[in-house]
């Protein structure tokens, strides 16, 4: 008798749990709408293309992500990719605009089947600061 009453109680509890879960919405997982605060790169850039561009900067300047991206606030681990608090980020934006202008103005024609252009690597050669050469008169 006792086992039978325990079984009925257990079945009753299970029924209540299933009934509540059937009428309760599942938690909504918030997804990022993509990168935030893009000012030079296309707003609809794919994650893969954005990652390729960023890795290109890493290679061209010999730096890690935190060279341009600020740390998350309040001591959290990681980087705040949307933040503009690191001045190198705005310098990078201006350099991207400059590179695009130069390529559009001077390198729009094919030469031997290839359109030549400049990139960050052209001047930086894997260094944070581009090397300058003093011209002797």
């Amino acid at each position: 008798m006792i086992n039978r009453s325990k079984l009925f109680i257990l079945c009753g509890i299970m029924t209540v749990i299933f009934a509540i879960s059937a009428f309760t919405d599942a938690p909504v997982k918030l997804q990022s709408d993509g990168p935030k605060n893009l000012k030079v790169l296309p707003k609809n850039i794919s994650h893969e293309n954005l990652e390729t561009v960023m890795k290109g900067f890493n290679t061209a300047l010999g730096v890690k992500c935190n060279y341009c991206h600020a740390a998350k606030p309040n001591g959290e681990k990681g980087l705040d990719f949307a933040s503009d608090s690191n001045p190198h980020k705005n310098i990078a934006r201006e350099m991207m605009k400059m590179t695009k202008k130069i390529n559009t103005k001077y390198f729009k024609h094919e030469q031997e089947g290839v359109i030549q252009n400049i990139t960050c690597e052209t001047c930086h050669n894997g260094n944070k600061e581009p090397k300058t050469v003093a011209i002797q008169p």
Side-chain angles (χ1 to χ4, degrees):
M1 222 23 135
I2 295 176
N3 287 337
R4 198 173 205 181
S5 63
K6 286 182 181 178
L7 182 63
F8 281 124
I9 291 172
L10 182 61
C11 287
I13 292 172
M14 295 296 283
T15 303
V16 170
I17 291 172
F18 286 127
I20 291 172
S21 65
F23 295 105
T24 305
D25 290 336
V28 177
K29 183 180 179 185
L30 297 177
Q31 291 184 346
S32 172
D33 294 328
K36 305 281 188 255
N37 197 21
L38 293 179
K39 295 182 179 177
V40 178
L41 294 171
K43 304 245 187 273
N44 62 347
I45 191 169
S46 71
H47 176 75
E48 292 79 21
N49 286 345
L50 180 61
E51 199 168 87
T52 299
V53 170
M54 294 298 134
K55 286 181 180 179
F57 294 148
N58 295 144
T59 302
L61 278 73
V63 296
K64 302 251 184 226
C65 303
N66 64 352
Y67 185 72
C68 293
H69 294 287
K72 285 186 177 179
N74 303 324
E76 292 179 66
K77 284 189 174 186
L79 299 172
D80 183 357
F81 294 108
S83 171
D84 286 334
S85 66
N86 186 333
H88 288 129
K89 186 173 185 180
N90 282 321
I91 293 170
R93 286 178 174 142
E94 293 305 313
M95 298 296 275
M96 290 170 64
K97 290 179 197 174
M98 177 195 71
T99 301
K100 184 176 181 180
K101 281 182 188 177
I102 291 170
N103 284 330
T104 301
K105 186 171 182 178
Y106 297 106
F107 297 102
K108 56 187 169 191
H109 304 290
E110 265 187 44
Q111 295 176 356
E112 298 176 17
V114 176
I115 296 178
Q116 301 290 326
N117 64 6
I118 64 165
T119 65
C120 304
E121 182 74 27
T122 305
C123 298
H124 282 270
N125 292 308
N127 299 300
K128 291 178 188 177
E129 300 290 327
K131 203 177 231 184
T132 56
V133 177
I135 299 175
Q136 300 293 325

